[in-house]
Structures are given as structure tokens and as C-alpha cells.
Amino acid sequence: MPTTTLQTKMAEARAAGRAALVGYLPAGFPDVESSIRVVQAMVEGGCDVIEVGLPYSDPMMDGPTIQRAADMALNSGTTTEDVFRVVEATAATGAAALVMSYWNPIERYGVERFATGLADAGGAGVITPDLIPEEAREWYDASEKAGLDRIFLVAPSSSDRRLALTTEACSGFVYAASLMGVTGTRAQVADTAETLVRRTREVTRDSELPICVGLGISTAAQAAEVAAYADGVIVGAGFCQRILDAPDLETGLIAVRSFAEELAGGVRSR
């Protein structure tokens, strides 16, 4: 498979001696055109990679902030085609564009159709939080054909065997969920995160697959802490919250750009 934009961005960050900054936003939040502008502000502030969320009505790992953002996106009528529009706009910024989606919407849309549509929009890969490698044969074939990275999750509860199985199926990076819980801002990064990254590195040493940490990171100091041992820092709820708190979109864009700048400073300070 040819080198993807995601692989290039992760390699560039590693060559610069820093972690990559990965930002998440549901497509269509607060509406499709506005979500494109929010993504642009995130990239202007320093995000290397953008996870474009496919809004879903029954999320399992999303906390209240992202659930609220996704509900707004669904209420605005966001479709899978709209997700591809946001991906295309994201790719146009120069950032690597990913989709984060639960498996059911992809399966209902059509697995190969989804992979082809995402690749045509300039997407680099997909994060599938509720899909495990043993059940991903159809996705493996479709993503390979479309030239997309596959990103699966590992967690503090993952056995050594599960870590090896999951990382072997990943490309681009492996998503290390820092804790057993849902997304959202927290006062401190879970102490399980560093241990999980260390354990995952033990099974990815030969491939040098990047490891990115998500769930609960909300400040520049936390970003710097995670960047000291991970290859990427993933932030989602903090971006959504700034749009939710803003009295209007323009104010929200300023807050999002400033927040991205703070986080980018954190990942570069290691």
C-alpha cells in the first residue's frame, strides 16, 4: 500500500523530535459548513491530524460533551456524504484527514462503498473504536484496496496477546485509550496511559508503529506530559467544548485556534 498522508505526518513529527497533535471534531457540528471552519481553525492552530467524527446516535465511548456535539450534528441533518465533504476540506488544509466511526454506520452504508468514498475525498484512514481485528476481514480487504490506514484501539485491560493482535492489524498508528471510560476533559491524565504505551511498544518495536494516546487530555501541560512518552496526543472534547461555550461561531473559532496553539506548544515542549 502506498504511503498515506497520515504516515507522512507521523513521520514528520517524529523526525522533528516531537509528538503529533491529533484533533477530533464531529462532522456537521454545529452544522456542516461551520464544522469545516472549525477544522480549519484547528489546523491553523497546529493540529497535524484531524479525526472527523461520523455522528452516531448510540455512541459507546463518547462522554457528554462529544455526545452533545454529535446530537447537534445529527439534528442538523449530517449525512455520510457530508462527512466526506468535511474530510475533503480537511485534506485541503494539508493535515491528514481521518474518519472516526463506529462500525454500524459503515456497514449500513456499504463497506467497500465507504472506503472508496473516503479515499476519493482525500481521507487517509479510519479509526473504528468498536471493531476488533478478528471481525474486520471485510474492512481489511476494503481499506487495503482503497489505500486507507486501519486504526484499532488498545486499552489498559488489553492482554499482551490482544496488544500484539491489534497492533499487527493497525497501520498509521495504534490508538491507546488512556483509561477504561468515556471521552471528556479530566483534571489529570490517567496513570495507566504511560504503562499502556510502554506495553504496546514492546510488541511494536520491530514495526515502529506510532502510538497515540487519547481520552481525557485537555490542557497544554497534559499534552506535554503525554508527548514525553507517546508519538501522538489526541484531543476531542476540549475542541467541542469551546464551540459549545461560545456565544457565536466567530468567537468559537478564535477559542478553538487558541486552544490548538496551546496544545501544539505542549507537544513541542518535550
Side-chain angles (χ1 to χ4, degrees):
M1 188 173 76
T3 301
T4 64
T5 308
L6 174 61
Q7 293 170 20
T8 298
K9 286 293 180 181
M10 297 304 298
E12 287 175 353
R14 178 174 287 179
R18 65 172 179 86
L21 178 59
V22 183
Y24 166 88
L25 190 85
F29 167 66
D31 56 66
V32 175
E33 295 304 324
S34 296
S35 67
I36 289 173
R37 295 189 64 194
V38 176
V39 164
Q40 290 168 342
M42 293 165 69
V43 176
E44 290 166 3
C47 285
D48 303 287
V49 179
I50 298 292
E51 298 176 11
V52 177
L54 196 161
Y56 187 47
S57 59
D58 190 25
M60 294 187 302
M61 65 175 285
D62 295 331
T65 300
I66 291 179
Q67 284 189 32
R68 185 178 169 195
D71 285 345
M72 291 177 67
L74 290 170
N75 290 336
S76 72
T78 304
T79 65
T80 301
E81 283 72 21
D82 291 326
V83 173
F84 293 155
R85 282 181 56 203
V86 178
V87 166
E88 186 172 16
T90 301
T93 68
L98 306 178
V99 164
M100 185 166 188
S101 176
Y102 295 96
W103 182 242
N104 187 52
I106 296 175
E107 191 170 45
R108 290 188 63 183
Y109 188 80
V111 176
E112 188 167 343
R113 180 187 174 205
F114 184 90
T116 301
L118 178 57
D120 289 346
V126 183
I127 302 168
T128 48
D130 62 341
L131 182 67
I132 58 175
E134 299 98 311
E135 299 175 359
R137 184 72 258 173
E138 187 177 9
W139 176 238
Y140 191 98
D141 292 342
S143 59
E144 195 76 8
K145 183 178 178 181
L148 298 172
D149 282 315
R150 293 173 301 276
I151 301 160
F152 297 100
L153 273 67
V154 295
S157 61
S158 298
S159 65
D160 290 344
R161 179 180 178 279
R162 170 61 53 186
L163 288 177
L165 181 69
T166 303
T167 56
E168 185 178 357
C170 287
S171 60
F173 66 81
V174 57
Y175 190 126
S178 65
L179 46 80
M180 302 299 294
V182 297
T183 61
T185 60
R186 289 174 171 82
Q188 61 185 35
V189 178
D191 56 10
T192 53
E194 186 171 3
T195 300
L196 176 59
V197 171
R198 176 182 52 75
R199 292 179 58 222
T200 305
R201 285 212 193 283
E202 290 174 359
V203 298
T204 60
R205 189 171 292 115
D206 291 341
S207 66
E208 296 188 344
L209 181 70
I211 303 166
C212 297
V213 172
L215 273 66
I217 300 165
S218 58
T219 68
Q222 291 173 346
E225 176 187 346
V226 172
Y229 55 79
D231 301 294
V233 177
I234 303 170
V235 181
F239 287 114
C240 295
Q241 192 65 57
R242 278 156 179 78
I243 296 298
L244 290 169
D245 289 345
D248 54 67
L249 180 62
E250 296 304 324
T251 304
L253 293 174
I254 293 171
V256 163
R257 189 178 298 106
S258 177
F259 183 48
E261 290 171 351
E262 293 172 11
L263 296 169
V267 302
R268 286 162 172 76
S269 68
R270 75 171 188 175

